Amino acid sequence: MTAPRTSKGQYLHGPKTLVREERPLFAPNAHEVQIAIRSTTLCGSDVHYYTYHRNGSIEIKEPLCGGHEAAGEIIGVGAAVANLKVGDKVAIESGVPCEECEKCRAGKYNVCPRLRFRSSGASFPHFQGTLQEFVNHPAAWCHVLPESLSFDDGALLEPLSVCIHAVRKARMERNMSCLVFGAGAVGLLSAAVAKIEYGARVVIADIDASRVDFAVREGFADVGFTVVPKRGVALEEKFGIAMGVAGELGKLKWPSGGEVGGFDVVMECTGVESCVQSSIYAADSGGKVVLIGMGTPIQAWPISELTGREIDVASVWRYAFCYPRAIELMNSIAQGDLAPDVRKLITHKFYGLDSIPEAYETAAKTKDAQSQLVIKTVVNL
């Protein structure tokens, strides 16, 4: 095909204000490949940028193209690229670190201070996302997909990598008990990885009963629990509510019998203060709470529970060196060798650039206009 000179995409100019733009596209440099984007799954951060024109404290400073969970087909190769070729299907690792700083040299490139991440407003000029036709991307951060995997499978590798990183930080062991707060895509993937990698016994909790039902029905969790939201005012009241939720979770029964009790590992995937508080109370003595969700930036925690029962807290920021394992897991799932089938998280598909506004609107909901469960939306170009 003739090398494209422009790339059309949807750019955010304000809250819920998307503009279809056509921007210049240059030939890839020596160490880059040019990729025709085929699939992008939408993330919670994409939805936050779309809805509020910011994500937490990060504000958009110029028109921003969303999307970072992506896969596509290589259509051009830089002169110094030897391991990739035109026609390869690749998953895009959207975070590009400097590869020179102390963090990168220590293998912690996910916290590189100069890291650029597609569709994020954290660096400026923004590293534009994948809700566009074509991108040039460093070859070192592209991962070839086996024939068994689709472009949609390749897009799911990004959130799957987050959860692989989270489970690694939990330092799980075989058959541990695991509580997952939040039955959205990240919670479900965290539960799946805990089960696949360590045979964990999983309880999943969410305020949305349909998501909890999905998690149990599709094998992501052994036990489901629907949280009834309660709002406290005073700190003691909030802690009392959190303690009550943890107590209810502990009294649940495993399918094989026996009370659940305290959890060896709690994966907190909501970022909501009350859920973090409940996570601490629900963790068994000597257990671990892993913070995955981004939510309330300043929170009150019952520190005496952590120190008095020696509960560790680990935080997660994206991933490092997780894509190879994610590809292995997804390949085994596609071949029917592993369960649960994480591909079922894609519940809604959209086609073409003009469908992107509707894809954003759908991704922001838990149910669509037909009352069907929304977990993950994908845009195919």
Side-chain angles (χ1 to χ4, degrees):
M1 64 177 289
T2 303
R5 296 186 177 182
T6 62
S7 179
K8 301 182 186 72
Q10 293 278 8
Y11 288 78
L12 273 169
H13 284 247
K16 297 190 175 185
T17 305
L18 286 166
V19 177
R20 179 169 166 154
E21 297 184 19
E22 185 170 3
R23 295 192 172 191
L25 180 71
F26 302 100
N29 69 30
H31 297 281
E32 290 180 333
V33 291
Q34 191 164 91
I35 303 167
I37 301 298
R38 302 300 187 211
S39 295
T40 297
T41 49
L42 295 185
C43 171
S45 63
D46 293 319
V47 173
H48 272 82
Y49 280 127
Y50 171 75
T51 306
Y52 306 109
H53 209 233
R54 63 187 301 152
N55 184 28
S57 61
I58 303 172
E59 296 185 18
I60 296 177
K61 300 178 178 65
E62 63 177 341
L64 178 68
C65 182
H68 58 266
E69 302 175 359
E73 180 182 353
I74 293 179
I75 59 171
V77 177
V81 177
N83 61 324
L84 298 171
K85 65 183 183 302
V86 171
D88 281 346
K89 290 193 302 183
V90 292
I92 298 170
E93 187 166 346
S94 284
V96 177
C98 73
E99 301 185 66
E100 298 173 349
C101 70
E102 180 181 340
K103 299 301 180 187
C104 287
R105 290 197 301 271
K108 299 178 180 179
Y109 67 81
N110 55 315
V111 290
C112 167
R114 288 183 282 171
L115 182 137
R116 296 180 302 140
F117 197 85
R118 288 195 180 275
S119 79
S120 172
S123 61
F124 184 82
H126 301 331
F127 196 19
Q128 299 296 346
T130 59
L131 291 174
Q132 58 177 309
E133 294 175 308
F134 310 103
V135 298
N136 294 333
H137 199 73
W141 303 103
C142 294
H143 303 269
V144 176
L145 299 176
E147 284 303 314
S148 60
L149 298 187
S150 68
F151 289 114
D152 287 358
D153 297 337
L156 280 177
L157 294 175
E158 203 276 344
L160 180 58
S161 293
V162 172
C163 300
I164 290 171
H165 184 60
V167 169
R168 287 175 178 174
K169 293 206 73 173
R171 296 178 183 173
M172 295 187 77
E173 298 175 10
R174 297 294 304 175
N175 301 316
M176 277 187 165
S177 61
C178 177
L179 169 63
V180 177
F181 261 112
V186 171
L188 291 166
L189 287 170
S190 295
V193 174
K195 277 187 158 296
I196 289 170
E197 298 283 48
Y198 295 102
R201 295 167 294 142
V202 177
V203 174
I204 200 162
D206 198 288
I207 60 173
D208 189 312
S210 59
R211 288 193 171 193
V212 172
D213 291 343
F214 175 90
V216 176
R217 183 176 69 250
E218 299 297 339
F220 289 84
D222 301 289
V223 181
F225 180 79
T226 304
V227 179
V228 178
K230 297 179 182 178
R231 191 178 298 276
V233 179
L235 192 57
E236 292 78 6
E237 185 182 9
K238 292 180 178 180
F239 285 168
I241 292 170
M243 194 183 303
V245 171
E248 291 181 71
L249 287 162
K251 291 177 183 177
L252 295 171
K253 304 288 186 180
W254 294 113
S256 58
E259 204 168 77
V260 166
F263 294 90
D264 298 311
V265 175
V266 183
M267 314 284 279
E268 207 301 302
C269 302
T270 72
V272 176
E273 181 183 52
S274 59
C275 294
V276 179
Q277 293 165 349
S278 293
S279 296
I280 294 170
Y281 286 114
D284 200 2
S285 296
K288 178 165 287 190
V289 175
V290 183
L291 303 178
I292 308 170
M294 291 180 62
T296 311
I298 299 175
Q299 303 182 6
W301 294 356
I303 296 298
S304 60
E305 284 293 308
L306 296 174
T307 57
R309 297 196 291 117
E310 205 169 67
I311 297 167
D312 292 336
V313 177
S315 58
V316 170
W317 184 244
R318 296 179 182 140
Y319 42 79
F321 303 109
C322 292
Y323 262 75
R325 183 56 179 157
I327 291 171
E328 290 175 353
L329 293 183
M330 190 68 81
N331 193 41
S332 294
I333 289 167
Q335 294 179 4
D337 297 331
L338 290 177
D341 189 348
V342 302
R343 299 172 302 172
K344 291 184 178 181
L345 268 60
I346 295 179
T347 55
H348 292 71
K349 290 193 175 191
F350 297 86
Y351 302 92
L353 291 173
D354 292 336
S355 74
I356 290 172
E358 185 182 0
Y360 270 117
E361 289 290 339
T362 302
K365 302 171 183 175
T366 56
K367 291 186 178 179
D368 64 16
Q370 289 73 44
S371 297
Q372 297 299 308
L373 183 65
V374 177
I375 298 179
K376 201 76 170 168
T377 63
V378 64
V379 177
N380 295 143
L381 299 180

